Amino acid sequence: MKLYCLSGHPTLPCNVLKFKSTTIMLDCGLDTTSALHFLPLPLVHSPRLSKLPGWVSKDGTINLEKELKECAGRVFVDSLPEFCLPERELLDLSTIDVILISNYHCMMALPYITEHTGFTGTVYATEPTLQIGRLLMEELVNFMERVPKAQSATCWKNKEIQRMLPGPLKEAVEVWTWRKCYSMQEVNSALSKVQLVGYSQKVELFGAVQVTPLSSGYSLGSSNWIIQSHHEKVSYVSGSSLLTTHPQPMDQSSLKNSDVLILTGLTQIPTANPDGMLGEFCSNLAMTIRAGGNVLVPCYSSGVIYDLLECLYQFIDSANLGTTPFYFISPVANSSLEFSQIFAEWLCQNKQSKVYLPEPPFPHAELIQTNKLKHYPSIHGDFSNEFRQPCVVFTGHPSLRFGDVVHFMELWGRSSLNTIIFTEPDFSYLDALAPYQPLAMKCVYCPIDTRLNFHQVSKLLKEVQPLHVVCPEQYTQPPPSQAHRSDLMLELQPPPMPYRRCSVLGLPFRRRYERIQLLPELAKSLVPTEIKPGISVATVSAVLQSKDNKHVLQPAPKPAPAPPSKKRKRVVEEPPELLAPKPLLSGAVPLEPFLATLNKHGITEVKVEDTADGHILHLQAEDTLIQLEEDGTHIVCDSNEPLRTALRDLVLRFLQKL
C-alpha cells in the first residue's frame, strides 16, 4: 500500500492511495496563495496601479519592467494571477480510478486533473459539495474572465532570472508549473464526472474495496472517507469540526478500528478561538459604523459567511445597527444564499427541525425579507443605484487580487474611518494588503477557522485509536513563529508518519488475508475432523477462480469420458488421472512416549540432543538420526529402507491424519 503526496499545502490536500489494485485520489485542492505574488485586477482603470514603476535589477542586467512592478518595497507580477497545481509528474494521473472529495474547498483543482491528464474514472462527492463547489469555480472563472489582461508574464519564471529577483518572489516554489484559471467549459466537463453519494452510503470499487463518506461537521456536505476491504481499513480525515455550527455533527465512531488514519485539514490558526473571533468581528464592525466609516469583509461566497450573517442577525438590534445596509456582492451570491436554505438534510438537527415548522433554517432569509441584507452579482447595475454609506460589504476574493473587493480597496483605502476585517484564514493578511500600501484604512484580523485544533485532534485519536497515523510534516513540529509551543503539534505513540509534497510513503501494514467463497456443492463434500476440542479441520481440493477481485473455490472438474471411437488408434489417449490428495498430518511427537515405543521395538541405545526447534535422536547401534522439530520430522537413515519405513510408522502413530 502506497501514498503519494501531490500537494504541500496541509489544508488544500491532494494525495493518491494505491490499495488492493485500485488507485484512489483523495481530494484535489488548488493552492491559490500563489495569487499573492500578482498585482490586483481592478474592475475599472486604476491610475495608481498603472503608474507603478517597473522592476529593473540594481546592476541593470535584468530588465523586466513590462512583467514586474514595484509597490511599497515589494515586487509583483503584472499579469493574470496563476495557481499552484497539485504535482503532475510523480505518477501517471490517467491511471487514477476514482477521486474522493471531502469538501468544496478541496475540489478547486478538479478541472486541471480530469480534463488534462487522460483521467477516465469517477469522482465521488455529496450533493452540497458538488453544487457549492460549482458556485466557487464559477465565481473564480467570472472574476478572471471579466478583466482580461493583454499580456502574460513568462520571463520571470526562468530559473536563472527568478534566482536574481527580490523576495518573496525569489522563494516562490515551482513557478514553472503554475497555470492560469480554467474555463467554464472545463468546469462543466469536470463536474459531469461527479457521482453523488450520501453519508454512510457504501460504494464498491471493482469488488476490491468499499468507500463510505461520513459527516465531518465542517461545512455543508463535508465528508471524511472510510476505505476498506474485508480485512483492512483506512480512514481519511480532512477538514473536520467538533464545534456546533450549521452542518451535521461529525461522525467519530465509524473511524474506530482503522489500520491507518490519514489526517489533514486541521485549523490554520490553532491559537484563535472561533467564538472569540466572532465577538471581535461584531464589536469592530459596530465601532466603525458608529464612527461613520464603512466595513469591508473579503470572504468566500459560501461557508463562514452563513455564520457571520447569523451572528450579525442576533447583534444588529442590540447594537442599534438596524438602519445600516449590509451588501453581499458575488456573481453567485443569490445561488449561495438559496442553496444554504434548501440542503436541509445536511444541516444540524436544530436547523433541520425549522424546515418542518416551516421556517427558513438560516436567519439570513429574514435579513433579506426586511431589506437589511441585499445581494448583487457585481458592483455594476442595480448596486451602484442603491448603494449608500456607511455600510458593510461582504465580497470576494479573500486574496484581494481579483473580484469586486479590489474596487472597494481602491475606493475606501485612503480613509482611516473605514475598516477591512479579515475572517478567512487562507491568506496572510499582510501579504494580501501589500500592493495597496500605503493604506489609511484600519485593518482587523479575526480569522475564523472551525476545523480541529491540536487539542481536539489528540482527544479524537485517543478515542478512535488507529494503529498508524499519517499527516503533513507541518503537523509534526510547532509553527515556525511559535517554536516553543509543543502543544501546537501532534504528539502520538507511535509517532505519526509525516509526508511533504512529492513524497511517496509505503504504509506500514501488510495485507495478510483474502476472503474466499466456497460453492455449496463443494462445501457439502467436506468431511471435518476434530483436531482439538471445538476445532475441526477439513482438507479441500478445488479450483480457485478469481474474477473482479472476488475469489471462489469450485469443485475440481471430473475427466470427460472418452467418446467411443470406431477407428483403431495406435496410441490410446486416456484422460489424466486425478490422484487423491495425500493426507495432511497434524500434532506433535512427544519425546518420552516416543522413546518408550522405540524401546519396545528393540531400539535401546538412543542419545537425545536438544536443539532450538526440538530434539535430535541419535540411534547409535543403527547409525540413524531422527530430527523432531515443530514443523517437521526427518529420518536420516543410510541404505536401510526397512528400518526407515518402520521408524516412519512409529512416528505416524503419534500424529493425526486429515
Side-chain angles (χ1 to χ4, degrees):
M1 179 186 270
K2 280 204 162 69
L3 184 75
Y4 298 78
C5 172
L6 311 186
S7 158
H9 198 303
T11 40
L12 297 168
C14 182
N15 297 310
V16 173
L17 182 70
K18 287 202 170 186
F19 177 34
K20 268 197 83 172
S21 69
T22 54
T23 305
I24 302 168
M25 179 177 271
L26 305 169
D27 282 333
C28 45
L30 182 63
D31 188 352
T32 48
T33 53
S34 54
L36 295 174
H37 295 290
F38 292 77
L39 276 183
L41 297 178
L43 282 176
V44 291
H45 176 72
S46 162
R48 185 186 71 83
L49 288 173
S50 58
K51 284 179 191 155
L52 290 176
W55 182 81
V56 182
S57 62
K58 281 185 182 142
D59 56 6
T61 52
I62 302 174
N63 182 343
L64 289 175
E65 284 182 296
K66 286 201 173 117
E67 293 196 359
L68 305 180
K69 303 288 183 204
E70 272 189 83
C71 175
R74 292 271 290 261
V75 175
F76 297 95
V77 183
D78 186 11
S79 170
L80 269 180
E82 297 182 357
F83 305 123
C84 181
L85 270 52
E87 179 59 47
R88 291 163 69 174
E89 303 298 316
L90 195 60
L91 83 162
D92 180 359
L93 296 184
S94 66
T95 62
I96 288 169
D97 300 310
V98 294
I99 301 177
L100 306 180
I101 302 293
S102 53
N103 62 66
Y104 45 77
H105 286 298
C106 292
M107 67 185 291
M108 298 297 283
L110 198 60
Y112 296 113
I113 306 286
T114 61
E115 303 312 295
H116 302 286
T117 60
F119 171 81
T120 55
T122 310
V123 184
Y124 289 100
T126 62
E127 191 176 1
T129 297
L130 168 70
Q131 300 301 359
I132 297 173
R134 182 191 298 278
L135 294 184
L136 292 177
M137 288 181 188
E138 197 179 310
E139 182 184 58
L140 191 62
V141 172
N142 190 305
F143 285 160
M144 293 298 175
E145 289 183 352
R146 69 186 182 188
V147 276
K149 280 254 183 190
Q151 84 282 7
S152 72
T154 50
C155 301
W156 73 277
K157 289 184 178 184
N158 180 312
K159 282 184 187 176
E160 297 307 313
I161 292 178
Q162 194 201 355
R163 203 178 296 149
M164 315 289 284
L165 300 179
L169 263 186
K170 185 182 185 173
E171 287 84 49
V173 289
E174 304 198 3
V175 293
W176 59 93
T177 65
W178 292 6
R179 292 283 175 274
K180 287 194 172 55
C181 187
Y182 33 70
S183 66
M184 208 53 222
Q185 189 183 352
E186 288 169 320
V187 169
N188 291 330
S189 174
L191 296 181
S192 68
K193 298 174 174 71
V194 175
Q195 198 163 316
L196 298 180
V197 285
Y199 290 150
S200 303
Q201 180 183 336
K202 291 177 167 49
V203 179
E204 282 267 336
L205 303 185
F206 318 112
V209 292
Q210 212 176 47
V211 295
T212 312
L214 310 170
S215 171
S216 78
Y218 168 57
S219 60
L220 279 178
S222 65
S223 321
N224 292 322
W225 289 86
I226 300 289
I227 304 154
Q228 62 186 5
S229 63
H230 295 305
H231 299 284
E232 299 90 19
K233 178 174 176 179
V234 177
S235 298
Y236 176 57
V237 175
S238 166
S240 304
S241 175
L242 293 170
L243 302 180
T244 7
T245 54
H246 58 273
Q248 258 193 49
M250 180 182 177
D251 178 350
Q252 298 175 58
S253 56
S254 305
L255 300 171
K256 287 180 177 167
N257 308 320
S258 303
D259 295 290
V260 171
L261 187 142
I262 302 166
L263 176 70
T264 177
L266 299 185
T267 176
Q268 301 189 62
I269 32 152
T271 51
N273 169 11
D275 285 340
M277 289 293 138
L278 270 174
E280 216 170 294
F281 170 80
C282 290
S283 61
N284 277 293
L285 182 139
M287 220 157 50
T288 305
I289 297 291
R290 285 192 197 113
N294 300 295
V295 177
L296 179 61
V297 186
C299 61
Y300 293 114
S301 53
S302 179
V304 170
I305 186 167
Y306 305 145
D307 299 310
L308 291 176
L309 293 173
E310 186 156 355
C311 181
L312 286 171
Y313 172 77
Q314 295 159 352
F315 178 77
I316 285 172
D317 295 327
S318 63
N320 293 330
L321 297 176
T323 55
T324 307
F326 288 79
Y327 300 117
F328 175 24
I329 303 169
S330 160
V332 297
N334 185 35
S335 311
S336 168
L337 293 171
E338 285 181 354
F339 269 137
S340 66
Q341 304 286 17
I342 61 171
F343 286 132
E345 73 270 33
W346 306 90
L347 296 170
C348 61
Q349 202 55 50
N350 159 24
K351 289 207 176 327
Q352 272 190 33
S353 56
K354 287 188 177 177
V355 178
Y356 304 108
L357 286 176
E359 252 181 48
F362 285 96
H364 55 242
E366 197 180 314
L367 289 175
I368 293 169
Q369 277 165 359
T370 55
N371 257 352
K372 286 177 182 167
L373 173 67
K374 296 183 176 184
H375 53 85
Y376 302 93
S378 78
I379 55 171
H380 304 303
D382 292 349
F383 172 73
S384 47
N385 301 332
E386 297 173 19
F387 173 58
R388 59 188 179 82
Q389 307 185 67
C391 62
V392 179
V393 171
F394 295 90
T395 187
H397 185 266
S399 65
L400 308 191
R401 291 300 177 271
F402 38 86
D404 302 274
V405 73
V406 177
H407 183 72
F408 288 100
M409 287 301 295
E410 297 284 334
L411 190 68
W412 292 342
R414 295 187 199 87
S415 164
S416 58
L417 286 176
N418 302 323
T419 303
I420 177 168
I421 306 181
F422 289 92
T423 55
E424 298 291 352
D426 292 357
F427 301 91
S428 149
Y429 73 101
L430 292 173
D431 290 342
L433 292 170
Y436 298 97
Q437 301 297 354
L439 197 68
M441 82 192 294
K442 289 195 286 295
C443 163
V444 178
Y445 186 51
C446 298
I448 297 166
D449 195 337
T450 57
R451 287 174 279 208
L452 295 172
N453 60 32
F454 289 100
H455 171 68
Q456 290 167 330
V457 89
S458 300
K459 199 171 157 205
L460 172 74
L461 292 173
K462 270 194 191 113
E463 281 169 26
V464 301
Q465 294 193 315
L467 291 181
H468 301 279
V469 175
V470 182
C471 66
E473 69 176 356
Q474 289 94 323
Y475 298 162
T476 58
Q477 56 217 27
S481 57
Q482 292 165 304
H484 61 288
R485 294 282 301 269
S486 61
D487 58 325
L488 301 184
M489 59 183 275
L490 272 187
E491 291 189 285
L492 304 170
Q493 278 313 326
M497 294 177 66
Y499 63 75
R500 56 152 76 102
R501 188 179 171 106
C502 291
S503 57
V504 181
L505 296 186
L507 296 185
F509 79 90
R510 306 199 91 80
R511 283 172 40 214
R512 291 200 182 89
Y513 303 106
E514 200 60 82
R515 183 175 286 187
I516 294 182
Q517 275 184 311
L518 277 175
L519 285 188
E521 58 265 36
L522 185 63
K524 255 190 242 170
S525 68
L526 300 184
V527 183
T529 311
E530 191 167 52
I531 53 167
K532 281 183 188 169
I535 295 178
S536 295
V537 172
T539 59
V540 59
S541 296
V543 172
L544 176 65
Q545 185 196 54
S546 291
K547 185 180 176 185
D548 295 338
N549 291 299
K550 298 240 185 316
H551 310 289
V552 181
L553 281 180
Q554 301 178 330
K558 293 186 172 71
S565 165
K566 288 176 186 172
K567 288 182 186 173
R568 287 184 60 194
K569 284 187 182 174
R570 264 175 270 169
V571 182
V572 179
E573 285 182 14
E574 285 189 8
E577 211 177 319
L578 283 176
L579 299 171
K582 285 184 178 177
L584 298 175
L585 303 171
S586 74
V589 181
L591 184 62
E592 294 304 325
F594 184 58
L595 289 173
T597 308
L598 289 177
N599 207 356
K600 232 185 251 178
H601 285 75
I603 299 169
T604 51
E605 289 180 47
V606 181
K607 186 180 171 192
V608 180
E609 194 181 312
D610 291 343
T611 65
D613 295 330
H615 310 281
I616 295 178
L617 278 53
H618 191 193
L619 283 49
Q620 288 169 314
E622 291 79 7
D623 194 19
T624 295
L625 287 179
I626 302 177
Q627 283 175 300
L628 299 175
E629 290 170 356
E630 268 184 27
D631 54 355
T633 300
H634 303 276
I635 300 168
V636 184
C637 172
D638 279 345
S639 63
N640 189 344
E641 188 58 21
L643 175 66
R644 189 193 67 76
T645 314
L647 291 173
R648 182 200 65 192
D649 293 343
L650 292 180
V651 169
L652 288 176
R653 283 188 193 180
F654 292 94
L655 299 175
Q656 213 174 349
K657 287 184 186 177
L658 294 175

